[in-house]
Amino acid sequence: MHPDRLDRHRPDRPPPLARRRPPTSLRLRAVLWRARPVLLALAVATVGVGVLDVLRPAPPPTVDVVVVARAVRAGTALEGADLTVRTVPVAVAPDGVPARTDAAVGRVAAVDLTRGTPLVPGVLVGAGAAGPPGTVVATVRLADDAAAALLGPGMRVDLIAAAPDDGDGRVVASRALVLPTPPARAAEPDMSAFGAGPTTASPVLVAVTPDEARALVGASATALLSAVVVP
């Protein structure tokens, strides 16, 4: 018999020791030791994020401004649906712009306004008879009352004067801006309107240059006025 086999059965030889698993704490320390590069990278990243949060500047102060929510033609009285409020940084906010829409409702656009235009001073006029800067407001009577009724605020018209005994008419005002007619005066007889004689038809308020206003005064004495809508 082989000697090794005989040694296994010797009664004076102690049995082999059973293998024991290392304690859980020791195994955990071993895992942490092997993962130390990853843990170190995570710690550095966390510290970096905290530093960035500290160094990041505070958001700039903001202010509310009223802007046009949709395109509005010159001469149109603004309604609530025409306006909206946007929040912008104070550094870029225009001066003089209202912060609430109710401050602009009822006022009239002095110029054509595109969507997003802030209501800076000068783009709006009061609800009364007022036109864009550099213009005056003239009240005209058109020879055709039905044609006058078709005109609305914001339209641009050429005003043409034609004498009954003359052939071709002449343009006395180009691209005059039609303004809203004050409701209180819509049905009152008007003796001062340029054009036809006294009537109860509604006059037409137009914004024209001072020179065109003088031309309308002269033409109204001897001619009838007509309006041609232009772009």
Side-chain angles (χ1 to χ4, degrees), residues 66 83 98-107:
V66 177
L83 306 170
R100 298 173 53 185
T101 57
D102 55 3
V105 171
R107 302 191 67 188

Side-chain angles (χ1 to χ4, degrees), residues 140-144 159-162 172 194-196 216 219-220 223-227:
V140 297
R141 290 278 184 197
L142 299 182
D144 188 347
L159 295 174
I160 302 173
V172 290
F194 302 147
L216 283 170
S220 64
L224 301 177
L225 294 177
S226 300

Side-chain angles (χ1 to χ4, degrees), residues 80-157:
D82 298 322
L83 306 170
T84 188
V85 176
R86 288 184 180 175
T87 302
V88 299
V90 172
V92 299
D95 295 332
V97 179
R100 298 173 53 185
T101 57
D102 55 3
V105 171
R107 302 191 67 188
V108 177
V111 294
D112 292 338
L113 301 176
T114 58
R115 180 181 178 183
T117 302
L119 299 185
V120 297
V123 301
L124 300 181
V125 294
T135 64
V136 295
V137 177
T139 305
V140 297
R141 290 278 184 197
L142 299 182
D144 188 347
D145 292 339
L150 296 176
L151 300 179
M155 289 184 175
R156 295 280 182 172
V157 296

